[in-house]
Amino acid sequence: NSLVNSVHLSVANARSKHDSKNVFAVGWGVASLTILHVASVEPIRGAVCLGLPLNKKHRPLRNVIGDIKCPVLFVIGTAARSSSTVDVENLVAGIPGDKRVIFIEDADDNLCIPMCKQVSCGLTQAMLDQIIIDEIGNFLISIAGYSPPTREELQEYEEQEIARNRKRKIDATVRKLYPQVISEEHSLK
């Protein structure tokens, strides 16, 4: 209960310091249960739950599921000991609105896959971790309303950055060659 209060306070603090529309909460394991409790009472933009222990002592979670009003992403290992895929699917079915579940085949509670699975799939744990990170990023981008920059915008930004760097180099060179002529407050901009 003190963990829920602590996270609740952190979320409220973040909302007061930053744009209240874009506060996201991410939890792993038991912390993901805490995030769901907080999401049921605190207006947040989205929640990400990595692993979700659903054993008997966590049954009270079912009482708050219907109160969650933000999009939620669940990333669960199918070989997790702390929850079954059926329990997760049943829980997620009770959440209104946008909810997404990613089941990682043969992964445990820590989203680690066994070496034999890595070999058979030609996938390292680091590659899987990157895939999970990309999925979380895609989820957050989709609910935050952020659209990545176009190729033209990226190219324009890179050209501007190159020009700024070139100007800084010229400015530094001029200052080295002619320190008596150019002082800091009259440097090239």
Side-chain angles (χ1 to χ4, degrees):
N1 207 4
S2 65
L3 182 59
V4 172
N5 291 338
S6 176
V7 173
H8 178 64
L9 186 61
S10 294
V11 168
N13 212 6
R15 281 186 30 243
S16 69
K17 287 183 180 177
H18 306 287
D19 181 10
S20 63
K21 295 183 219 170
N22 289 319
V23 174
F24 299 92
V26 179
W28 190 299
V30 175
S32 62
L33 295 171
T34 305
I35 294 303
L36 291 177
H37 276 283
V38 170
S40 70
V41 294
E42 190 71 41
I44 59 176
R45 188 64 185 251
V48 177
C49 298
L50 302 165
L52 190 67
L54 290 177
N55 55 30
K56 289 181 175 62
K57 67 181 177 184
H58 298 115
R59 294 289 182 226
L61 180 62
R62 297 185 193 285
N63 300 337
V64 300
I65 284 299
D67 296 331
I68 296 173
K69 294 173 179 57
C70 67
V72 183
L73 171 66
F74 296 91
V75 183
I76 312 290
T78 60
R81 291 184 179 182
S82 63
S83 62
S84 72
T85 56
V86 173
D87 285 343
V88 171
E89 287 172 340
N90 289 338
L91 181 82
V92 170
I95 299 175
D98 187 5
K99 66 259 183 180
R100 302 173 199 176
V101 181
I102 298 173
F103 287 110
I104 308 297
E105 195 68 37
D106 295 328
D108 61 14
D109 290 300
N110 295 320
L111 304 177
C112 294
I113 55 175
M115 186 58 75
C116 60
K117 181 75 171 185
Q118 291 180 34
V119 170
S120 70
C121 294
L123 187 71
T124 65
Q125 186 63 47
M127 292 164 72
L128 174 62
D129 293 344
Q130 187 60 55
I131 292 168
I132 293 169
I133 290 168
D134 291 345
E135 288 297 324
I136 292 169
N138 291 338
F139 171 75
L140 295 176
I141 286 170
S142 73
I143 63 175
Y146 169 78
S147 59
T150 64
R151 189 171 290 202
E152 292 80 22
E153 290 170 330
L154 284 174
Q155 186 175 3
E156 181 181 335
Y157 173 78
E158 287 174 3
E159 289 170 0
Q160 289 172 352
E161 191 62 25
I162 290 168
R164 279 191 293 272
N165 285 336
R166 187 176 298 128
K167 197 164 242 181
R168 282 185 206 121
K169 286 179 185 175
I170 291 169
D171 193 22
T173 304
V174 169
R175 259 190 254 121
K176 278 182 188 175
L177 294 175
Y178 306 102
Q180 69 282 7
V181 177
I182 298 180
S183 64
E184 283 300 315
E185 62 253 359
H186 296 97
S187 61
L188 300 174
K189 303 242 174 181

